[in-house]
């Protein structure tokens, strides 16, 4: 329903549902109460803000074909970043697959867990694991981008330019 994106966007969107109890099942959405409308609007605003924040990653992309060719010609390789990317993609793929499998196959017993995007199996189930997961994903996404794009600017190694975003 809300996890139509790919990669971290899908994981974040799915985990955000754990914080909107009125959107957990079709019956409560079908009632169309003020609370449901408010939570739906809040969720949509959060998803739109997350999508707009992806524009902050534009400085990571090469500008034109010339820049790309220069990068290839330099032949710079980083085994550490290669491992980082492979581990990241594998981790998100395994988590997304596991969450989908558990919530579809065992939704009666485990689909209600908040860490899997459910509403909670009992009233005293803590939201802390789901909150920690969402926080970790935010730190991962924005921290990596900050480190690669904006930290060199703050250190003075590179200069800021609006052309980074064009």
């Amino acid at each position: 329903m809300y996890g139509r994106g790919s990669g971290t966007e899908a994981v974040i969107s799915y985990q955000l549902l754990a914080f909107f109890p009125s959107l957990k099942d079709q019956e409560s959405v079908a009632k169309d109460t003020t609370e449901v409308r408010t939570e739906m609007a809040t969720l949509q605003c959060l998803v739109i803000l997350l999508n707009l924040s992806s524009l902050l990653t534009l400085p990571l992309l090469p500008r034109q074909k010339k820049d790309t060719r220069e990068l290839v010609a330099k032949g710079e390789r980083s085994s550490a970043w290669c491992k980082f990317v492979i581990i990241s993609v594998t981790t998100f793929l395994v988590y997304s697959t596991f969450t989908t499998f558990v919530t579809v196959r065992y939704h009666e017993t485990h689909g209600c867990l908040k860490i899997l995007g459910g509403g909670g199996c009992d009233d005293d189930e803590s939201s802390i694991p789901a909150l920690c997961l969402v926080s970790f994903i935010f730190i991962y996404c924005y921290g990596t981008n900050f480190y690669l794009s904006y930290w060199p600017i703050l250190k003075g190694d590179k200069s800021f330019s609006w052309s980074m975003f064009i």
Side-chain angles (χ1 to χ4, degrees), residues 41-115:
T42 305
L43 178 64
Q44 290 300 321
C45 288
L46 283 172
V47 170
I48 289 169
L49 285 173
L50 286 172
N51 288 335
L52 286 175
S53 71
S54 68
L55 295 174
L56 295 172
T57 63
L58 287 176
L60 292 174
L61 299 173
R63 296 298 109 215
Q64 297 292 329
K65 188 189 294 186
K66 178 184 158 198
D67 292 344
T68 306
R69 288 186 177 167
E70 286 177 12
L71 287 172
V72 171
K74 287 180 184 177
E76 293 181 19
R77 303 248 189 307
S78 173
S79 61
W81 281 111
C82 178
K83 291 174 187 174
F84 178 77
V85 168
I86 290 172
I87 290 170
S88 299
V89 168
T90 304
T91 301
F92 286 120
L93 181 65
V94 167
Y95 177 77
S96 298
T97 304
F98 174 77
T99 302
T100 302
F101 177 75
V102 168
T103 55
V104 170
R105 177 71 173 97
Y106 300 108
H107 84 281
E108 300 89 17
T109 56
H110 301 298
C112 58
L113 295 171
K114 286 186 180 182
I115 191 75

Side-chain angles (χ1 to χ4, degrees), residues 134-152:
V134 170
S135 300
F136 171 76
I137 293 170
F138 279 134
I139 291 169
Y140 167 83
C141 293
Y142 293 108
T144 304
N145 183 33
F146 176 80
Y147 178 75
L148 292 174
S149 299
Y150 303 106
W151 185 247

Side-chain angles (χ1 to χ4, degrees), residues 10-29:
V11 173
I12 291 172
S13 297
Y14 193 67
Q15 285 302 320
L16 284 176
L17 283 176
F19 304 106
F20 297 100
S22 295
L23 303 177
K24 293 296 180 214
D25 53 5
Q26 293 297 325
E27 294 82 26
S28 63
V29 173

